[in-house]
Amino acid sequence: MPQTSAHFTRRDALRLLGGASACSLMRGQARRPNFLVIVTDDHGIGDVGCYGHKEALTPNLDRLAASGVRFTQWYANAPVCSASRAAILTGKYPDRTGVKGALPSQPSFDVPGLRAGEVTFPALLKQAGYSTAAFGKWHLGSAMYSRPLAQGFDSFFGWYSGWLDAYSHRYYQLGSAPGKIFHDLWRNTEEVFEEPAYMTELLAREASAHLARQKKDQPFAMYLAFGAPHYSMMAPKKYLDRFPASMERDRRTHLGMVAAVDDAIGLLLNQLRQQGLEDDTVVFFQADNGATREVRASSTAQPYTGGSNGAYRGYKLGLFDGGMHVPAILRAPGFVKAGQVWDRPLMSMDLLPTFLSMAGQDARVPASVDGRDILPVLRGEKRTHEDMFWSFNQERAVRQGDWKLILNPPKFPGEETGAKMWLSNLEADPGEKRNMAGSEPERVRQLTEKIRAWERYVGIPSEGDPE
């Protein structure tokens, strides 16, 4: 399949979806598909083997990619967890969901997040007769109306906070008085105690058991959000031993955590096959944002270097591509052909309308949704997004075609830009190394106007035009 947009044709798109037979399956599939959505945390493209990074041992993600479509320009809607996950669930720009940045974690469990009555893909699929379940990290609000059971899920096993200790299942905030330490693990509304079970393995156990209870006559949607490879940075020895002892400590721990997640994904894929549900289940995987540089993830109190965003500049908490250009894979038997690569930009908010289309509910996509069904895009019948936008604190960014403008670009340690505007052509310079703002003033002006119009649309204040 051609790897550059200049040579991509509708024939290539039909080949991606398996030609006319796949199109007819999409229109007349006898059984509505199940959905398994898997999200990882602070997981860069450089942490997945099938993206060309062989030191990352991810055989199950690699086989998932071989059986579906691997996206090379998939974007999270935000470079941080809560906002990114809000877009996955709602199909909207996160600023329009009321979830901005990363929500706080509180032992009172009353943090506002997703609004009461928010439209989510589990709620819509539940209305269409699906059973729904969520596992793992929620971080979309712990107030009663924001919790999973109020946002379309029939059942929940996981936690509300931004992260947990991997063995004690407690949230820790240290370094300033008075600090916070509290336990945060729940089955529906009941607090449960599973320490010292390693969290990734615990989620694998619970999610696999849930899949084992599924039947062919009841479609289901399952959302599994791992807390790894986010801190706390902990990996059992059996995962660390897969990597050379000479490997840099934080990198070895990071890849050990990824290996544990990959094993869990393999367990679920095998369970689907054992249940006879493999060909009936759409599996989608993505990271919520790129790898981080946060000191709190480091074993040496220095900027963290364990995760990798590959060739992309920047990290979590910033709008260079490293912050939200993430690994993503879709296996959808009957909808897309196996072993393909899609190399044009798409976004997390596209998932909701795509899932509804696959479920035969595309006519019921709410008008408030910002995402679009990607199946016609993959077929070559529609174009990808003309413009894509992001915000994070004072940063703003827009991508139009291959051009991307960042206002108030991030300043990571050792990578300070000294610029108020950063313009890149991502086709020519995917690593955003060269700032073309000075040589393209008219393009900067036009793209800045687009950002201001988008700010008004999503209801966030303008930070003013950088000078």
Side-chain angles (χ1 to χ4, degrees):
M1 180 178 179
Q3 295 298 298
T4 61
S5 58
H7 300 99
F8 192 82
T9 67
R10 188 172 185 275
R11 180 177 296 176
D12 296 318
L14 287 172
R15 195 159 63 242
L16 176 78
L17 279 90
S21 61
C23 294
S24 61
L25 273 172
M26 282 184 287
R27 287 191 294 268
Q29 190 158 349
R31 185 183 183 279
R32 290 179 294 172
N34 308 308
F35 297 96
L36 170 57
V37 179
I38 302 169
V39 179
T40 50
D41 206 345
D42 293 4
H43 190 186
I45 275 183
D47 302 327
V48 183
C50 60
Y51 280 86
H53 303 278
K54 298 307 180 185
E55 69 175 344
L57 303 180
T58 56
N60 293 299
L61 283 175
D62 298 350
R63 70 164 163 137
L64 184 65
S67 64
V69 180
R70 179 170 62 87
F71 298 97
T72 63
Q73 295 199 54
W74 188 274
Y75 283 94
N77 275 86
V80 69
C81 47
S82 298
S84 173
R85 293 157 192 255
I88 291 172
L89 287 180
T90 68
K92 299 179 186 176
Y93 281 110
D95 293 286
R96 297 187 59 235
T97 71
V99 178
K100 302 178 182 181
L103 296 179
S105 302
Q106 298 292 348
S108 52
F109 299 108
D110 57 0
V111 175
L114 292 176
R115 302 183 183 101
E118 182 62 77
V119 173
T120 64
F121 82 76
L124 292 168
L125 290 176
K126 185 176 179 178
Q127 291 174 9
Y130 279 69
S131 67
T132 58
F135 295 84
K137 175 178 172 177
W138 181 242
H139 207 195
L140 288 167
S142 57
M144 290 297 295
Y145 58 83
S146 297
R147 296 181 183 182
L149 299 187
Q151 293 292 335
F153 289 106
D154 294 320
S155 61
F156 171 60
F157 179 88
W159 64 95
Y160 299 115
S161 302
W163 65 282
L164 292 183
D165 176 88
Y167 294 98
S168 72
H169 316 148
R170 283 162 170 79
Y171 174 86
Y172 292 82
Q173 179 176 301
L174 304 176
S176 61
K180 288 183 286 191
I181 303 176
F182 58 92
H183 181 265
D184 186 9
L185 185 62
W186 306 83
R187 187 185 304 279
N188 298 324
T189 59
E190 178 185 356
E191 188 174 13
V192 293
F193 295 87
E194 293 277 359
E195 68 269 20
Y198 183 59
M199 180 54 75
T200 297
E201 294 177 342
L202 180 57
L203 290 178
R205 184 196 82 186
E206 291 290 323
S208 178
H210 179 79
L211 285 181
R213 293 190 292 269
Q214 303 310 304
K215 307 297 182 184
K216 276 185 169 289
D217 60 356
Q218 172 61 60
F220 66 86
M222 180 172 144
Y223 172 74
L224 171 58
F226 288 100
H230 189 293
Y231 43 83
S232 57
M233 306 309 297
M234 300 177 177
K237 184 176 184 297
K238 64 181 178 181
Y239 301 112
L240 294 175
D241 285 348
R242 299 179 189 181
F243 303 91
S246 58
M247 183 178 284
E248 191 270 330
R249 176 181 174 182
D250 283 350
R251 182 62 173 161
R252 190 176 186 223
T253 300
H254 189 97
L255 292 181
M257 295 175 72
V258 170
V261 168
D262 190 77
D263 278 12
I265 292 172
L267 181 66
L268 300 182
L269 296 180
N270 291 342
Q271 183 66 49
L272 287 172
R273 179 175 296 173
Q274 181 179 332
Q275 294 288 108
L277 296 172
E278 184 175 43
D279 291 337
D280 297 325
T281 303
V282 171
V283 180
F284 178 79
F285 157 82
Q286 77 160 86
D288 66 346
N289 48 251
T292 189
R293 285 278 276 170
E294 292 166 282
V295 171
R296 62 180 175 173
S298 171
S299 63
T300 61
Q302 301 295 318
Y304 183 64
T305 57
S308 170
N309 294 318
Y312 303 112
R313 179 173 187 162
Y315 305 91
K316 172 188 178 181
L317 307 178
L319 295 186
F320 282 118
D321 258 30
M324 62 279 182
H325 188 150
V326 296
I329 300 166
L330 172 68
R331 186 180 78 184
F335 295 96
V336 294
K337 187 179 177 182
Q340 301 298 313
V341 176
W342 182 262
D343 72 335
R344 298 306 299 156
L346 295 165
M347 296 188 87
S348 300
M349 66 185 186
D350 296 329
L351 293 174
L352 182 150
T354 304
F355 292 163
L356 291 185
S357 174
M358 290 176 171
Q361 302 291 310
D362 53 306
R364 302 183 186 181
V365 176
S368 60
V369 167
D370 295 312
R372 63 180 61 182
D373 178 3
I374 69 172
L375 294 180
V377 176
L378 298 181
R379 292 197 298 266
E381 298 170 2
K382 292 185 179 179
R383 294 175 60 84
T384 187
H385 295 280
E386 181 178 351
D387 302 315
M388 306 166 76
F389 298 91
W390 297 267
S391 72
F392 180 70
N393 292 338
Q394 286 73 46
E395 298 175 47
R396 304 285 186 268
V398 59
R399 175 169 177 169
Q400 183 181 60
D402 290 322
W403 290 93
K404 180 182 168 191
L405 176 68
I406 308 174
L407 304 183
N408 304 310
K411 300 174 177 62
F412 292 104
E415 297 186 19
E416 295 81 359
T417 66
K420 294 293 186 180
M421 302 180 178
W422 195 275
L423 179 70
S424 301
N425 185 297
L426 297 178
E427 176 72 18
D429 179 23
E432 297 173 281
K433 300 299 185 184
R434 180 187 174 195
N435 187 2
M436 302 180 67
S439 60
E440 295 273 352
E442 180 59 21
R443 192 180 303 276
V444 168
R445 185 191 67 78
Q446 293 175 359
L447 293 178
T448 300
E449 287 182 356
K450 285 184 172 289
I451 288 174
R452 298 308 176 216
W454 177 77
E455 287 174 326
R456 292 189 293 271
Y457 168 67
V458 299
I460 57 176
S462 170
E463 293 297 327
D465 293 340
E467 297 179 357

